[in-house]
Amino acid sequence: MIAFTDITGLASSAIAITALAARLPGVARLRRPYLAPLLCVVAIATLIPLGDLPLAAYVRGAIGDLSIPSLMLLLLSVSAPLCGGPRSDTQSRFALLALIALAAVGLYPMALGAGLFDPYHLGYGSPWLVGVLLLIALAACWRRLPLVALCLALAVLAWSGGWYESANLWDYLLDPLLATYAIGALIRRGARKLQTLRRA
C-alpha cells in the first residue's frame, strides 16, 4: 500500500516537471485551449511507470520532497498561463524569496557546522521557531503580502499534520533547490537594479 507521504511526494515531483514543461519556449507560446490539455498530459505521463517506477519517482529520488513554498510557487507558475493572470503578486513573491534566501544563508552553513549553534534542531517542535513564524505571518498580513502568510501557514499546518516523512519544520519551509533559486533570483534582481543605476 502506498503511503500518504509517497503520494504527495510523487505529486510534488509531477508538479515540478509540469511547471518546467510550461516554461519551455515552444510550450509557453501555446494558447490556453491547447496549453491546458498538454500540461495535463505531461502531469499524467510523469506518473506512468517507466520500468519499475514513474518519472516522478525518479525525480523525487533525485531532489527529495519539495517544501511548501516550492509547491506554492510551482502551482502558481503552472496556473498563471492557464488562467491568464500573473504568476503572483510581485511584491509578495519578492518578499517570500527574500525570506527564503535569508533563512537559507543562516540555516545551511550553521547546520553544516559553521557555528556553535545549529538552528536546524529548532525545527523539531521549538515553540520559539513557531512563534517567530507566527509573527512573520502576522506582519505579512499587515503588509499585504498574502503569499508569504499563506506559505508559512500551510507549512506549519503540514508539519503539525505530519504531511512529510520528516519531523523537522525546516524541511516544510525550504529546500536546497528553492534556496538556490531564491538566492539566484535576488542576485539577478540586484544586478538589474545596478545596471539601471549605471545607465541613469
Side-chain angles (χ1 to χ4, degrees), residues 4-5 13 23 25 31 47 55 60 63 80 92 124 131 136 195:
F4 175 75
T5 54
S13 295
R23 298 297 297 274
R31 295 181 180 178
L47 300 174
L55 177 60
R60 185 191 180 199
I63 65 176
S92 189
Y124 291 108
I136 294 174
Q195 288 179 352

Side-chain angles (χ1 to χ4, degrees), residues 1-196:
M1 183 176 179
I2 300 177
F4 175 75
T5 54
D6 291 329
I7 295 174
T8 57
L10 290 175
S12 65
S13 295
I15 293 170
I17 297 170
T18 306
L20 181 62
R23 298 297 297 274
L24 294 175
V27 177
R29 289 194 294 268
L30 291 175
R31 295 181 180 178
R32 269 179 280 168
Y34 304 102
L35 182 61
L38 176 60
L39 294 182
C40 288
V41 169
V42 171
I44 293 171
T46 62
L47 300 174
I48 297 176
L50 297 174
D52 296 330
L53 297 171
L55 177 60
Y58 291 108
V59 173
R60 185 191 180 199
I63 65 176
D65 289 331
L66 299 175
S67 63
I68 299 301
S70 284
L71 289 177
M72 290 297 298
L73 290 173
L74 287 170
L75 285 173
L76 288 172
S77 178
V78 172
S79 63
L82 297 179
C83 301
R87 287 189 174 84
S88 61
D89 175 61
T90 303
Q91 185 179 2
S92 189
R93 185 173 180 273
F94 172 74
L96 177 63
L97 292 178
L99 281 173
I100 291 168
L102 181 63
V105 169
L107 174 67
Y108 288 127
M110 296 182 73
L112 293 173
L116 298 177
F117 174 67
D118 184 4
Y120 188 75
H121 287 294
L122 295 176
Y124 291 108
S126 169
W128 293 103
L129 178 59
V130 176
V132 168
L133 293 176
L134 175 61
L135 291 176
I136 294 174
L138 291 175
C141 290
W142 180 64
R143 297 287 296 175
R144 297 182 181 178
L145 302 171
L147 184 59
V148 175
L150 182 61
C151 285
L152 292 179
L154 289 178
V156 173
L157 285 174
W159 168 71
S160 63
W163 187 349
Y164 293 160
E165 293 178 356
S166 174
N168 194 298
L169 179 55
W170 284 114
D171 294 325
Y172 292 78
L173 292 169
L174 73 161
D175 56 77
L177 288 178
L178 177 62
T180 302
Y181 173 77
I183 293 171
L186 294 184
I187 291 174
R188 287 195 303 271
R189 182 185 176 97
R192 289 172 185 168
K193 284 192 173 182
L194 185 59
Q195 288 179 352
T196 303

